[in-house]
Amino acid sequence: MTSEQRIGPIVLPDTRAQRVLTSLLEGSGVTLNGDAPWDPQIYHPDFCSRILRQGSLGLGESYMDGWWECERIDEMACRLLQHGLGERARPPSDRIMYRLQAGLLNLQSKARAYIVGEAHYDLGNDLFERMLDPTMCYSCGYWKEARTLHEAQLAKLELACRKLELRPGMHVLDIGCGWGSFAEYAARHYGVSVTGITISKEQAELARERCAGLPVTIELKDYRELSGSYDRIVSIGMFEHVGHRNYAIYFQTVERLLAVDGLFLLHTIGSNSSEISVDPWIDRYIFPNGVLPSARHIADASEGLLLLEDWHNFGPDYDRTLLAWRDNFDAHWHEIAERYSQRIERMFRYYLSVCAGAFRARDIQLWQVVFSRGRRSRYDAPR
């Protein structure tokens, strides 16, 4: 049943699945076929049984299939998470299977490092150019004084440069450089040279174009292949792809590459829990093999290698960032619609909306963490 074939929401059949799902939603403020903007409107009679059977995976896939609509998916997700339905939406079998896989296999090994690049970041630069702002930052903006997405992304880049105490002539390593947003900004405004690495061919190609004429080198490379010494190291929105089996080697690599008096800035989404788990829909459709680190993971992996100088949480800013991306996506989709399927359109709208709701519920965080190798002088982090 596609969205073009629908006439209106259906009357849900009185089944055990419908009664169980309605009971789970009690107190959340979310009602099936309700009148609020965050109430899902159901278009398929098997919706309830699919959600109970498949959890969050079924919720996301059924939206992609056109089984339901919702004006404010972001607020729906926020309310469901605040009601405690986040972990309960993952069937025990899925959680057990992931823990077995993560325990037996390194899901983020060097051999598998390029999977997420091919599956998500290589999807199409034309899509991301329309969704993001002109900086092409694909990470949380800093909205402290910003009024627009572009201002927020420029503020984030400026904040990172100031936290790193950049000075002309420094050599900076950008681990996970994306489309070159930080590399371009730091080279242009702070007179530094930058080596950026990414596991996405599409990102590398566009980053080289954007940084042409600047002292910037973009390489298609895994962080474990790096050598040399750098005055400063930055990693923005990449640590989510490292995986818990590799946290130690990641920080060992940074410590090995960072100059004695250097600084390292880690910008990452963070989990409130140290339990190793993933959302099955996000894992299958958006960021394969990704996993969010907890504060404990970061502290344990860096202990004995780097000195933690500052920890800054501005997770609520990701809510506004994601909604701004969704607005851009909706406004410009018609320009690229003929090159992508309706399923891709619904996938991105759902992804951006659900993630915004998760940050609004404070279910996940956004951290900027600054490390040194034990500098003697005091470090005062800008805000």
Side-chain angles (χ1 to χ4, degrees), residues 26 91 102 141 152 161 178 208 233 251 302 342 352:
E26 287 181 2
C161 290
R208 292 184 185 116
I233 300 178
F251 277 99
S302 61
Q342 185 186 49
L352 296 171

Side-chain angles (χ1 to χ4, degrees), residues 5 9 27 60 78 109 120 132 171 191 211 276 284 287 291 301 308 325 334-335 363 367 372 379-380:
Q5 296 171 317
C78 176
S109 65
H120 186 74
L132 307 178
H171 190 187
C211 296
I276 304 300
R284 177 174 295 185
F287 299 121
V291 62
L308 198 160
W325 288 343
H334 69 278
E335 299 172 9
D363 188 63
W367 299 320
S372 74
Y379 180 81
D380 291 310

Side-chain angles (χ1 to χ4, degrees), residues 26 71 95-96 115 150 171 193 318 361 363 365 380:
E26 287 181 2
E71 182 181 342
R95 297 199 296 269
I96 293 172
I115 291 177
H150 188 50
H171 190 187
S193 61
Y318 226 145
D363 188 63
Q365 311 304 322
D380 291 310

Side-chain angles (χ1 to χ4, degrees), residues 105-124:
L105 302 173
N106 185 348
L107 299 178
Q108 299 83 15
S109 65
K110 287 177 67 174
R112 300 170 60 88
Y114 293 83
I115 291 177
V116 67
E118 295 168 357
H120 186 74
Y121 299 108
D122 286 349
L123 189 60

